[in-house]
Each structure stands twice: as structure tokens, then as C-alpha cells.
Amino acid sequence: MWNVLLSFSGLVALIQLLFLPFFPESPPYLLLQKEDKAGCLKAMKQLWGEGNYHTEFDDLMKEKAITKGTKIMNVLEVLRERSVYPQLCTMLFLLLSLQLCGLKIFRTANLQESIIPYVSIGVSISELISIIFCSSIIDRFGRRMLLCGGYVVMALILVLLETSLLLSDRFLWLRYCSVILIFLFIIAYGIGP
């Protein structure tokens, strides 16, 4: 029944898709992107109840004045912008390596078929742990520290992972270490990059 368990994420997405049209837009989006002052104030009242939101509105207006000269780009414009190619390539290679890395390791580990559903659940739990942990420490340490630290930890995990895969024919217990290292890699990725 593990496939039913994994399908719950699709159910949550469907529920969000059904109810999302009934929620108001984000006040910063309405003011900064759409330039709809009345809609912004209306959304603030819908989200936070009746009250005086002039301070928040003034903060948004200051932010709007600061970002007035900044051009907001859509996805195609970002892809055409040569100055962001290094960042895009880094993200693309990282995402592809995550996908290929998991496939290779689970095949190399020669796990029993009965264990693979639990490994899939473990991957989801690892992602959830990283989201919760990251959101609680990001303000304390800052993005830069988490990003740099995440890459260092990921590199160390990959070295250990490669070592465990090379030695897994000699020591069968290293196959399970490989799976644990995958979970740690996912957590390090979620907390850092």
C-alpha cells in the first residue's frame, strides 16, 4: 500500500488547486506587481481582519519606490539573460545529479524489493525534515552560511557515498550506509542549497 501513501501528495496538491482561487492575492504582489492599491488594502483586511494597516502599507510603498527602476523578468527573459547562466547551470547540474545519483545508488545497493518502498518513504521524510529544520534556522545563520555549509556537507557526504559504494561488494552492510547517506545528502541539500 506504499503507492497509496505516496499518492497523498497528489491529493494535497488537488485540494490546494481547488481552494486556491478562493483566497486573496498576496498584498505585496497586488501592490508591487499589479500596482493595485485598493486591492492590496482589501487583501490585507481579508487576511488579517479589520484594523489599521497604514504602517504595513507604507512599508510596501517604500519597497515599491526602491524597486521602481528594477525590471521584473519572466522565465524566458531569465533564460535569455547571459549574466545568470552560471547560476542556472549550477542549479541544473545539481538537480540532474540528484536524480541520477539516487537511481544509481539504489541500483548499486542491490536492495531487496521489499525494502524499496520504505526507502521511498524515507526520502520523503528526509525532505520534510530538511524543510522544517531549514525554516527554523535560516534567520539565525543566514542564507550565505547555510548555502556554503550545505555545499561543504554535501561534498563530504558524496565522498563517503562513493567510498561506501566502492566497498559495498566486500561489506554488505555498506549498502544500507549508502541509503542513509542519500537521506543525509537530501537533508543537507534542503538545508543549504
Side-chain angles (χ1 to χ4, degrees), residues 17-48:
L17 190 62
L18 292 174
F19 287 104
L20 199 57
F22 300 105
F23 289 100
E25 288 285 351
S26 163
Y29 170 77
L30 287 171
L31 185 64
L32 301 175
Q33 303 291 325
K34 297 281 189 170
E35 298 185 4
D36 183 6
K37 293 179 183 179
C40 176
L41 288 170
K42 181 181 174 188
M44 285 180 174
K45 287 180 182 174
Q46 280 183 302
L47 290 170
W48 301 325

Tab-separated table of all heavy atoms in Angstrom, residues 17-48:
chain	number	residue	atom	x	y	z
A	17	LEU	N	-5.316	23.178	-5.285
A	17	LEU	CA	-5.766	23.686	-6.578
A	17	LEU	C	-7.245	24.076	-6.534
A	17	LEU	O	-7.646	25.079	-7.130
A	17	LEU	CB	-5.524	22.617	-7.654
A	17	LEU	CG	-5.705	23.026	-9.095
A	17	LEU	CD1	-4.726	24.129	-9.464
A	17	LEU	CD2	-5.492	21.837	-10.002
A	18	LEU	N	-8.054	23.315	-5.805
A	18	LEU	CA	-9.479	23.614	-5.708
A	18	LEU	C	-9.767	24.845	-4.856
A	18	LEU	O	-10.645	25.640	-5.177
A	18	LEU	CB	-10.231	22.407	-5.145
A	18	LEU	CG	-10.308	21.170	-6.045
A	18	LEU	CD1	-10.956	19.999	-5.306
A	18	LEU	CD2	-11.080	21.478	-7.314
A	19	PHE	N	-9.043	25.009	-3.756
A	19	PHE	CA	-9.346	26.087	-2.818
A	19	PHE	C	-8.558	27.371	-3.051
A	19	PHE	O	-8.934	28.421	-2.552
A	19	PHE	CB	-9.139	25.607	-1.375
A	19	PHE	CG	-10.209	24.665	-0.927
A	19	PHE	CD1	-9.950	23.306	-0.847
A	19	PHE	CD2	-11.479	25.120	-0.608
A	19	PHE	CE1	-10.923	22.429	-0.442
A	19	PHE	CE2	-12.462	24.247	-0.210
A	19	PHE	CZ	-12.196	22.888	-0.125
A	20	LEU	N	-7.474	27.303	-3.789
A	20	LEU	CA	-6.631	28.477	-4.000
A	20	LEU	C	-7.367	29.654	-4.641
A	20	LEU	O	-7.137	30.808	-4.236
A	20	LEU	CB	-5.411	28.092	-4.842
A	20	LEU	CG	-4.233	29.036	-4.791
A	20	LEU	CD1	-3.753	29.234	-3.359
A	20	LEU	CD2	-3.112	28.521	-5.654
A	21	PRO	N	-8.275	29.444	-5.587
A	21	PRO	CA	-8.966	30.604	-6.178
A	21	PRO	C	-9.814	31.398	-5.189
A	21	PRO	O	-10.139	32.562	-5.440
A	21	PRO	CB	-9.862	29.982	-7.257
A	21	PRO	CG	-9.215	28.694	-7.592
A	21	PRO	CD	-8.585	28.215	-6.322
A	22	PHE	N	-10.155	30.800	-4.037
A	22	PHE	CA	-10.996	31.490	-3.068
A	22	PHE	C	-10.197	32.332	-2.067
A	22	PHE	O	-10.776	33.057	-1.272
A	22	PHE	CB	-11.861	30.478	-2.316
A	22	PHE	CG	-12.763	29.702	-3.224
A	22	PHE	CD1	-12.485	28.379	-3.534
A	22	PHE	CD2	-13.871	30.301	-3.811
A	22	PHE	CE1	-13.308	27.660	-4.383
A	22	PHE	CE2	-14.697	29.593	-4.664
A	22	PHE	CZ	-14.409	28.268	-4.957
A	23	PHE	N	-8.884	32.235	-2.104
A	23	PHE	CA	-8.044	33.011	-1.204
A	23	PHE	C	-7.606	34.294	-1.890
A	23	PHE	O	-7.413	34.330	-3.097
A	23	PHE	CB	-6.808	32.206	-0.777
A	23	PHE	CG	-7.143	31.080	0.154
A	23	PHE	CD1	-7.243	29.783	-0.306
A	23	PHE	CD2	-7.353	31.338	1.504
A	23	PHE	CE1	-7.556	28.751	0.549
A	23	PHE	CE2	-7.661	30.304	2.364
A	23	PHE	CZ	-7.762	29.007	1.898
A	24	PRO	N	-7.404	35.354	-1.101
A	24	PRO	CA	-6.964	36.614	-1.720
A	24	PRO	C	-5.509	36.526	-2.169
A	24	PRO	O	-4.739	35.709	-1.681
A	24	PRO	CB	-7.132	37.634	-0.583
A	24	PRO	CG	-7.067	36.837	0.666
A	24	PRO	CD	-7.628	35.480	0.336
A	25	GLU	N	-5.161	37.400	-3.091
A	25	GLU	CA	-3.772	37.501	-3.542
A	25	GLU	C	-2.930	38.071	-2.409
A	25	GLU	O	-3.432	38.697	-1.481
A	25	GLU	CB	-3.674	38.419	-4.761
A	25	GLU	CG	-4.228	37.843	-6.032
A	25	GLU	CD	-3.331	36.796	-6.650
A	25	GLU	OE1	-2.188	36.602	-6.201
A	25	GLU	OE2	-3.784	36.155	-7.604
A	26	SER	N	-1.640	37.896	-2.532
A	26	SER	CA	-0.705	38.456	-1.564
A	26	SER	C	-0.709	39.977	-1.674
A	26	SER	O	-0.600	40.514	-2.781
A	26	SER	CB	0.688	37.898	-1.842
A	26	SER	OG	1.667	38.668	-1.207
A	27	PRO	N	-0.826	40.690	-0.550
A	27	PRO	CA	-0.802	42.158	-0.624
A	27	PRO	C	0.456	42.718	-1.299
A	27	PRO	O	0.330	43.628	-2.127
A	27	PRO	CB	-0.904	42.590	0.844
A	27	PRO	CG	-1.636	41.462	1.511
A	27	PRO	CD	-1.164	40.216	0.802
A	28	PRO	N	1.669	42.218	-0.984
A	28	PRO	CA	2.835	42.750	-1.708
A	28	PRO	C	2.748	42.521	-3.220
A	28	PRO	O	3.147	43.385	-4.001
A	28	PRO	CB	4.018	41.976	-1.105
A	28	PRO	CG	3.560	41.558	0.233
A	28	PRO	CD	2.091	41.315	0.088
A	29	TYR	N	2.216	41.368	-3.627
A	29	TYR	CA	2.073	41.090	-5.061
A	29	TYR	C	1.115	42.093	-5.698
A	29	TYR	O	1.394	42.639	-6.768
A	29	TYR	CB	1.586	39.659	-5.264
A	29	TYR	CG	1.187	39.359	-6.685
A	29	TYR	CD1	2.151	39.137	-7.668
A	29	TYR	CD2	-0.148	39.309	-7.064
A	29	TYR	CE1	1.794	38.871	-8.977
A	29	TYR	CE2	-0.517	39.046	-8.368
A	29	TYR	CZ	0.452	38.823	-9.321
A	29	TYR	OH	0.096	38.564	-10.615
A	30	LEU	N	-0.008	42.326	-5.028
A	30	LEU	CA	-1.002	43.247	-5.592
A	30	LEU	C	-0.446	44.668	-5.725
A	30	LEU	O	-0.689	45.345	-6.716
A	30	LEU	CB	-2.261	43.267	-4.718
A	30	LEU	CG	-3.139	42.026	-4.807
A	30	LEU	CD1	-4.221	42.060	-3.743
A	30	LEU	CD2	-3.751	41.886	-6.182
A	31	LEU	N	0.325	45.092	-4.739
A	31	LEU	CA	0.835	46.450	-4.779
A	31	LEU	C	2.071	46.581	-5.673
A	31	LEU	O	2.133	47.470	-6.523
A	31	LEU	CB	1.170	46.943	-3.373
A	31	LEU	CG	1.595	48.396	-3.286
A	31	LEU	CD1	0.457	49.314	-3.710
A	31	LEU	CD2	2.059	48.737	-1.897
A	32	LEU	N	3.030	45.682	-5.506
A	32	LEU	CA	4.299	45.823	-6.213
A	32	LEU	C	4.225	45.373	-7.667
A	32	LEU	O	4.830	45.993	-8.536
A	32	LEU	CB	5.393	45.055	-5.484
A	32	LEU	CG	5.655	45.482	-4.035
A	32	LEU	CD1	6.668	44.568	-3.383
A	32	LEU	CD2	6.089	46.925	-3.964
A	33	GLN	N	3.504	44.303	-7.932
A	33	GLN	CA	3.437	43.769	-9.296
A	33	GLN	C	2.267	44.353	-10.083
A	33	GLN	O	2.422	44.773	-11.215
A	33	GLN	CB	3.312	42.242	-9.267
A	33	GLN	CG	4.416	41.533	-8.524
A	33	GLN	CD	5.733	41.627	-9.247
A	33	GLN	OE1	5.765	41.615	-10.464
A	33	GLN	NE2	6.808	41.746	-8.499
A	34	LYS	N	1.098	44.330	-9.467
A	34	LYS	CA	-0.116	44.771	-10.167
A	34	LYS	C	-0.405	46.259	-9.998
A	34	LYS	O	-1.272	46.789	-10.680
A	34	LYS	CB	-1.326	43.966	-9.663
A	34	LYS	CG	-1.263	42.480	-9.924
A	34	LYS	CD	-1.641	42.193	-11.336
A	34	LYS	CE	-1.785	40.689	-11.538
A	34	LYS	NZ	-2.366	40.375	-12.807
A	35	GLU	N	0.261	46.907	-9.029
A	35	GLU	CA	0.048	48.316	-8.713
A	35	GLU	C	-1.415	48.614	-8.376
A	35	GLU	O	-1.982	49.628	-8.779
A	35	GLU	CB	0.553	49.209	-9.847
A	35	GLU	CG	2.040	49.065	-10.095
A	35	GLU	CD	2.578	50.015	-11.125
A	35	GLU	OE1	1.805	50.881	-11.618
A	35	GLU	OE2	3.770	49.907	-11.453
A	36	ASP	N	-2.019	47.699	-7.619
A	36	ASP	CA	-3.420	47.805	-7.218
A	36	ASP	C	-3.486	48.142	-5.725
A	36	ASP	O	-3.475	47.261	-4.866
A	36	ASP	CB	-4.133	46.483	-7.514
A	36	ASP	CG	-5.611	46.516	-7.191
A	36	ASP	OD1	-6.142	47.588	-6.838
A	36	ASP	OD2	-6.241	45.443	-7.282
A	37	LYS	N	-3.533	49.449	-5.402
A	37	LYS	CA	-3.532	49.880	-4.002
A	37	LYS	C	-4.798	49.443	-3.275
A	37	LYS	O	-4.743	48.968	-2.142
A	37	LYS	CB	-3.379	51.400	-3.931
A	37	LYS	CG	-2.048	51.904	-4.394
A	37	LYS	CD	-1.972	53.409	-4.326
A	37	LYS	CE	-0.640	53.897	-4.868
A	37	LYS	NZ	-0.534	55.362	-4.831
A	38	ALA	N	-5.927	49.620	-3.917
A	38	ALA	CA	-7.199	49.240	-3.280
A	38	ALA	C	-7.252	47.727	-3.048
A	38	ALA	O	-7.694	47.270	-1.987
A	38	ALA	CB	-8.375	49.689	-4.145
A	39	GLY	N	-6.815	46.969	-4.043
A	39	GLY	CA	-6.789	45.508	-3.894
A	39	GLY	C	-5.850	45.064	-2.787
A	39	GLY	O	-6.132	44.110	-2.061
A	40	CYS	N	-4.747	45.780	-2.629
A	40	CYS	CA	-3.788	45.479	-1.571
A	40	CYS	C	-4.416	45.677	-0.201
A	40	CYS	O	-4.322	44.808	0.673
A	40	CYS	CB	-2.543	46.341	-1.730
A	40	CYS	SG	-1.337	46.154	-0.416
A	41	LEU	N	-5.060	46.806	-0.015
A	41	LEU	CA	-5.723	47.075	1.273
A	41	LEU	C	-6.857	46.091	1.531
A	41	LEU	O	-7.045	45.626	2.664
A	41	LEU	CB	-6.232	48.516	1.312
A	41	LEU	CG	-5.154	49.594	1.453
A	41	LEU	CD1	-5.746	50.984	1.240
A	41	LEU	CD2	-4.484	49.490	2.808
A	42	LYS	N	-7.602	45.747	0.497
A	42	LYS	CA	-8.692	44.782	0.644
A	42	LYS	C	-8.136	43.407	1.043
A	42	LYS	O	-8.692	42.729	1.914
A	42	LYS	CB	-9.474	44.680	-0.671
A	42	LYS	CG	-10.638	43.736	-0.616
A	42	LYS	CD	-11.359	43.669	-1.958
A	42	LYS	CE	-12.426	42.596	-1.925
A	42	LYS	NZ	-13.015	42.378	-3.241
A	43	ALA	N	-7.035	42.995	0.411
A	43	ALA	CA	-6.419	41.711	0.736
A	43	ALA	C	-5.888	41.704	2.166
A	43	ALA	O	-5.992	40.692	2.881
A	43	ALA	CB	-5.300	41.390	-0.245
A	44	MET	N	-5.320	42.832	2.618
A	44	MET	CA	-4.851	42.921	3.999
A	44	MET	C	-5.994	42.723	4.978
A	44	MET	O	-5.852	42.020	5.982
A	44	MET	CB	-4.170	44.278	4.242
A	44	MET	CG	-2.810	44.409	3.651
A	44	MET	SD	-2.148	46.057	4.011
A	44	MET	CE	-0.497	45.891	3.383
A	45	LYS	N	-7.141	43.333	4.680
A	45	LYS	CA	-8.304	43.188	5.566
A	45	LYS	C	-8.836	41.761	5.537
A	45	LYS	O	-9.254	41.228	6.559
A	45	LYS	CB	-9.389	44.186	5.169
A	45	LYS	CG	-9.047	45.605	5.548
A	45	LYS	CD	-10.128	46.576	5.152
A	45	LYS	CE	-9.677	47.987	5.513
A	45	LYS	NZ	-10.594	48.998	5.050
A	46	GLN	N	-8.828	41.121	4.362
A	46	GLN	CA	-9.293	39.738	4.272
A	46	GLN	C	-8.368	38.786	5.030
A	46	GLN	O	-8.826	37.863	5.670
A	46	GLN	CB	-9.369	39.295	2.812
A	46	GLN	CG	-10.607	39.765	2.092
A	46	GLN	CD	-10.623	39.224	0.670
A	46	GLN	OE1	-9.707	39.462	-0.101
A	46	GLN	NE2	-11.673	38.507	0.346
A	47	LEU	N	-7.074	39.029	4.937
A	47	LEU	CA	-6.107	38.128	5.557
A	47	LEU	C	-5.959	38.365	7.061
A	47	LEU	O	-5.830	37.417	7.834
A	47	LEU	CB	-4.738	38.272	4.877
A	47	LEU	CG	-4.644	37.750	3.456
A	47	LEU	CD1	-3.327	38.168	2.812
A	47	LEU	CD2	-4.778	36.236	3.437
A	48	TRP	N	-5.959	39.618	7.488
A	48	TRP	CA	-5.637	39.945	8.870
A	48	TRP	C	-6.815	40.484	9.671
A	48	TRP	O	-6.658	40.836	10.828
A	48	TRP	CB	-4.493	40.969	8.909
A	48	TRP	CG	-3.251	40.470	8.235
A	48	TRP	CD1	-2.782	39.187	8.216
A	48	TRP	CD2	-2.332	41.236	7.473
A	48	TRP	NE1	-1.622	39.106	7.493
A	48	TRP	CE2	-1.315	40.355	7.016
A	48	TRP	CE3	-2.229	42.568	7.127
A	48	TRP	CZ2	-0.237	40.781	6.249
A	48	TRP	CZ3	-1.169	42.985	6.365
A	48	TRP	CH2	-0.194	42.090	5.933
